[in-house]
Amino acid sequence: MSDAANSSRPHPVFQAIIDAYAAANRPFLHQVSPTVAREMLRASMMAAPTPAGLVGLEAVVDAVVQGPNGPIPVRRYVPSGPPLGVCVYLHAGGWVIGDLDFSDTTCRRLAAASQCEFISVDYRLAPEHPFPQPLDDAYAVLEWAAASRPGPLLVVGESAGANLAAACAIRARDCNGPRLVGQVLAYPVTDHDFTTGSYQEVGERNWLLSTADMRYFWDHYAPSGVDRSDPLISPLRLTDPVGLPATFVAVAELDPLRDEGLAYADHLAQAGIAVATRCDAGMVHGYLGAAGAIPLAAEALAEVSRWIRSAAGEAG
């Protein structure tokens, strides 16, 4: 585990992004409609430098999986050499933004380093498709992967995607679904509590994710009338985690979601689940995506990859 020091400011790379957004008067996500938020994300992706240092893969293939709500686009990342296992990957974006291209570089890095096939899921987004539709899409792809792809199966997610990953693991356990040998939860959303210590410490600083942003995301994914205490929405509310797979949780020190991620790791560990965690100093929400620019983010991604490789290799 990487212990978070008492860093008071984000890493310079993140600070430069924060400063550039401020200088450009870029609105915060919670200040715009979901449509505009998606356009802002696409613009940021277009402006980002071309990623360097990517390892070649055997194949990157777009496909479609049929789910209960209709077709679900997926993208398969096949490593060179025989895959040790299969990872269903669920992207970040507060259940509201994000797509296959948003997570493309991270999936390429993870597939190459873990020697596992990654299947990235373009699940339906809220508010047009609130809970449980994004989860239904994610679970449908998990079932498809279990039925069609050889080898041990894991689920991997970032942020809201990690929330969906955790919910998939719970649903698989409770519904006699696919057997998972592991789950990787990067800065996961695990509860609807906005009063944690990390929310109090950094939630108002707008370091790429704020309390207001999270309220906005929650209001779109689980609007009025939806029970946010359902463990499939707030996994930390799960009474009995026994039977869930081995878990890796990575969190950022300067992230409003830090404490709920660590609390979920502790909740699983207390139930006897094998859990590994790391908390990275000076990092903000979404930091694995900066692995090409920040050595500590690259180190975290490498540890995630080793953990996946080990979990798949031992099961295989």
Side-chain angles (χ1 to χ4, degrees):
M1 177 176 178
S2 169
D3 292 323
N6 292 320
S7 301
S8 59
R9 302 294 299 178
H11 185 281
V13 168
F14 290 124
Q15 190 63 56
I17 295 171
I18 294 164
D19 293 343
Y21 286 168
N25 257 342
R26 184 181 190 265
F28 300 116
L29 291 173
H30 65 271
Q31 296 174 326
V32 300
S33 69
T35 298
V36 172
R38 292 164 192 161
E39 292 171 353
M40 287 167 54
L41 177 63
R42 281 191 289 270
S44 295
M45 291 164 54
M46 291 290 291
T50 302
L54 295 180
V55 177
L57 299 172
E58 181 69 26
V60 177
V61 182
D62 286 349
V64 174
V65 173
Q66 295 302 318
N69 304 309
I72 308 161
V74 301
R75 184 171 295 165
R76 295 175 46 228
Y77 299 83
V78 184
S80 300
L84 297 176
V86 181
C87 297
V88 172
Y89 172 89
L90 303 160
H91 67 74
W95 310 284
V96 172
I97 61 177
D99 55 23
L100 297 178
D101 292 335
F102 177 47
S103 54
D104 184 76
T105 298
T106 295
C107 285
R108 289 174 184 269
R109 294 188 192 281
L110 286 169
S114 68
Q115 195 61 36
C116 287
E117 178 177 340
F118 266 66
I119 302 170
S120 183
V121 184
D122 197 8
Y123 55 84
R124 285 165 176 78
L125 298 175
E128 298 90 342
H129 305 282
F131 175 85
Q133 291 186 56
L135 173 59
D136 290 342
D137 283 356
Y139 192 74
V141 176
L142 191 70
E143 291 187 308
W144 173 82
S148 65
R149 315 309 303 160
L153 181 64
L154 299 91
V155 65
V156 180
E158 295 184 65
S159 190
N163 171 275
L164 297 176
C168 279
I170 294 169
R171 180 178 280 183
R173 182 199 68 172
D174 293 347
C175 298
N176 195 29
R179 178 180 177 270
L180 296 171
V181 302
Q183 61 176 342
V184 175
L185 311 176
Y187 21 89
V189 183
T190 69
D191 201 5
H192 57 282
D193 178 9
F194 301 108
T195 67
T196 65
S198 52
Y199 266 110
Q200 299 304 311
E201 291 167 23
V202 299
E204 303 304 319
R205 299 192 183 190
N206 287 305
W207 286 342
L208 303 187
L209 182 70
S210 69
T211 301
D213 291 337
M214 285 306 303
R215 289 188 184 277
Y216 167 92
F217 289 140
W218 271 103
D219 287 345
H220 286 315
Y221 181 59
S224 177
V226 174
D227 179 12
R228 293 184 180 180
S229 293
D230 184 334
L232 293 179
I233 304 177
S234 293
L236 189 56
R237 305 294 175 113
L238 181 67
T239 303
D240 182 10
V242 171
L244 292 178
T247 302
F248 188 103
V249 175
V251 298
E253 177 203 9
L254 304 178
D255 183 352
L257 305 187
R258 180 195 68 213
D259 287 357
E260 66 194 76
L262 294 175
Y264 192 56
D266 185 61
H267 188 46
L268 298 184
Q270 288 188 18
I273 311 298
V275 178
T277 62
R278 64 177 291 140
C279 179
D280 286 300
M283 298 294 102
V284 301
H285 190 76
Y287 71 104
L288 290 185
I294 300 175
L296 186 57
E299 178 189 309
L301 192 118
E303 185 177 355
V304 167
S305 301
R306 288 193 299 271
W307 189 92
I308 292 170
R309 188 175 183 129
S310 176
E314 290 177 7

